[in-house]
Amino acid sequence: MNRLDWCSRAGGPLRGSLRIPGDKSVSHRALMLAAIAEGDSRIRGFLEGEDTRATAAVLAQLGVRVETPAVGERVVHGVGLHGLRGSPQELDCGNAGTGMRLLTGLLAGQTFDSILVGDASLSKRPMRRVTEPLAQMGAHIDSREGLPPLHVHGGKALHGIRYELPVASAQVKSALLLAGLYAAGDTEIIEPHPTRDYTERMLAAFGWPITFSPGRARLAGGYALRATDVDVPADFSSAAFFLVAASIVPGSELRLPAVGLNPRRTGLLQALRLMGADIVVEHPRESGGEPVGDLLVRHAPLHGIDLPEALVPDMIDEFPVLFIAAAVASGRTRVCGAAELRVKESDRITTMAAGLRMLGTAIEETPDGAVIQGGAIGAGTVESLTDHRIAMSFAVAGLVATGPVRINDCRHVATSFPGFPELANGCGFALQVAD
Ligand code: S3P
């Protein structure tokens, strides 16, 4: 893949109504459950990102017919719980941690072997968090000392377990629930903090008996999934860049329609409001079993906060852009309890700290967070380390910087947010490909 660098300059005010692409977490899960359901499921609002397309391609390799009747739509011809076929080729999850971890759970109970691989970033991400509990369920998975590639051995009889997650992770929870579909007896997951519950909600929508409440989920193996149509809401994590951008650029007013507002995703909304942001949820409603609403965000002066630790799991993907808000806010922002940021697509604490320092922000890294002294953001060159959310966060920083911000290695933005530069420039960003 060719290298792609961006240059983001002062822009705005940001104005308009922006259609944010579909939710990545929901799109992955919809594909997987539809694949092993009985009958045909239509997914509307599907994220046309590289991550979710990689999952669709893996499922196709496993014998599932996935049609694309229109952009942002998939029809999945489900093969039933036991209808997947093994592939002699490696299954390439690309950059997607969600794809790889959930597929590992799904594949652990199959009759055939699978080999899951990923790109350079995914190949550095910890997998023991899924392989160890799956081994407790009877699975046999070889890894490269806890890292991908993963060789998932087939033909293992799985049994349910009661598992207390050591770290809050919806991916691990979901992997175990998917394995639990194939396991004898009950699989019960207890989380240290509640995480996004899309797998649980969607399993229920596909007709699988499951009980769940914040922080707990329990199901038994041996039922069947019935095909169901899924409406994917706009991804709150993608909306997040525009929530911060409009908050920090004077004169801005943006509307973001039909954004998913699952409470386990909207911690940034609360954090920004604590910092003084002016964000209103209009027309709150339900769509496809998920809370959604139209977000109206207007510029407001932000001030630093001590981020309540309880919000961390509900905004785990939004820290890069929160760091930008903090760098622009008056006063100091302190983040702690967020060590998980170190094992995302990059070490997001170190990558953000390095980038912000290049732009003149005083930021002190801690093992599980950072202390950021707000003020003016300067011009400079930052490294995204191919991390999509880091790249988009520094594009937001460029809007208010005193000079151009060059962001190196932005090619992975399409993993989660295809069309970001076009959408951003359409509402007032000044974002260009750098020479
Ligand atoms: C996700 C869970 C989170 C999140 C990721 C998507 C999911 O990861 O960071 O972008 O879809 O389940 P963890 O489970 O590692 O916290």
Side-chain angles (χ1 to χ4, degrees):
M1 212 188 256
N2 288 336
R3 189 185 157 114
L4 170 68
D5 304 334
W6 282 347
C7 182
S8 178
R9 292 189 163 79
L14 308 179
R15 297 255 165 189
S17 177
L18 303 185
R19 213 151 263 292
I20 302 291
D23 189 279
K24 182 153 70 75
S25 295
V26 176
S27 296
H28 278 298
R29 288 160 171 82
L31 283 173
M32 290 184 206
L33 293 195
I36 54 167
E38 284 164 19
D40 300 345
S41 303
R42 187 175 293 268
I43 308 171
R44 294 190 188 84
F46 177 77
L47 172 66
E48 295 287 357
E50 288 165 7
D51 278 12
T52 41
R53 287 188 192 198
T55 290
V58 166
L59 292 168
Q61 261 179 276
L62 297 171
V64 181
R65 201 149 59 85
V66 182
E67 285 174 330
T68 305
V71 175
E73 202 166 315
R74 292 293 185 278
V75 172
V76 181
H77 299 277
V79 295
L81 206 60
H82 299 286
L84 296 176
R85 288 196 318 259
S87 169
Q89 318 293 340
E90 292 177 338
L91 306 173
D92 189 354
C93 301
N95 190 245
T98 307
M100 181 172 282
R101 293 195 177 117
L102 270 61
L103 283 166
T104 302
L106 178 62
L107 292 170
Q110 306 296 332
T111 52
F112 51 83
D113 284 21
S114 304
I115 296 180
L116 292 158
V117 300
D119 71 1
S121 153
L122 182 53
S123 300
K124 289 189 215 137
R125 297 186 63 188
M127 293 295 152
R128 281 209 177 101
R129 52 182 60 200
V130 282
T131 57
E132 280 180 358
L134 286 171
Q136 289 177 31
M137 294 176 77
H140 178 182
I141 302 165
D142 295 323
S143 68
R144 193 173 43 88
E145 302 200 344
L147 301 175
L150 299 180
H151 182 164
V152 185
H153 294 264
K156 303 291 160 196
L158 302 187
H159 53 84
I161 55 169
R162 181 178 190 277
Y163 189 67
E164 293 192 20
L165 289 185
V167 287
S169 165
Q171 293 178 356
V172 177
K173 170 178 64 176
S174 300
L176 302 184
L177 290 174
L178 290 173
L181 306 182
Y182 294 87
D186 285 1
T187 297
E188 185 175 8
I189 315 294
I190 296 121
E191 304 177 282
H193 300 281
T195 64
R196 63 193 75 186
D197 56 1
Y198 298 123
T199 307
E200 297 91 309
R201 288 174 188 242
M202 215 181 279
L203 280 167
F206 276 77
W208 196 282
I210 176 167
T211 52
F212 62 98
S213 56
R216 271 176 190 268
R218 182 186 182 128
L219 56 72
Y223 297 93
L225 294 166
R226 279 190 314 270
T228 304
D229 293 348
V230 179
D231 284 315
V232 182
D235 198 320
F236 184 88
S237 297
S238 297
F241 303 105
F242 293 98
L243 294 180
V244 171
S247 294
I248 64 177
V249 178
S252 297
E253 177 171 321
L254 283 181
R255 263 204 172 72
L256 311 172
V259 178
L261 296 175
N262 182 305
R264 300 279 74 85
R265 295 291 298 285
T266 50
L268 180 76
L269 199 57
Q270 294 179 57
L272 288 176
R273 282 176 173 158
L274 289 173
M275 296 173 82
D278 176 2
I279 304 172
V280 180
V281 176
E282 295 181 325
H283 312 117
R285 55 199 184 273
E286 267 220 357
S287 168
E290 282 292 329
V292 300
D294 307 331
L295 298 177
L296 173 64
V297 51
R298 297 190 189 94
H299 167 257
L302 301 184
H303 55 81
I305 55 168
D306 281 353
L307 183 81
E309 215 175 306
L311 287 182
V312 169
D314 295 347
M315 54 181 290
I316 195 65
D317 291 333
E318 282 64 77
F319 280 94
V321 80
L322 173 85
F323 279 27
I324 302 299
V328 175
S330 61
R332 194 198 59 196
T333 294
R334 189 192 298 270
V335 171
C336 55
E340 272 295 292
L341 297 178
R342 295 200 179 277
V343 290
K344 295 294 178 187
E345 284 82 331
S346 69
D347 175 338
R348 287 185 172 159
I349 298 176
T350 298
T351 317
M352 284 306 298
L356 280 172
R357 265 187 221 115
M358 292 306 293
L359 304 182
T361 298
I363 171 165
E364 185 197 320
E365 237 186 87
T366 63
D368 65 345
V371 182
I372 302 159
Q373 188 60 48
I377 290 191
T381 298
V382 301
E383 303 297 331
S384 81
L385 299 185
T386 75
D387 184 328
H388 53 135
R389 298 200 199 282
I390 303 278
M392 290 184 275
S393 298
F394 281 111
V396 172
L399 282 168
V400 292
T402 54
V405 173
R406 184 189 173 106
I407 311 149
N408 286 337
D409 244 337
C410 301
R411 65 187 190 277
H412 277 40
V413 163
T415 58
S416 67
F417 203 149
F420 172 79
E422 295 78 10
L423 204 64
N425 286 334
C427 75
F429 278 60
L431 184 62
Q432 290 169 333
V433 173
D435 308 326

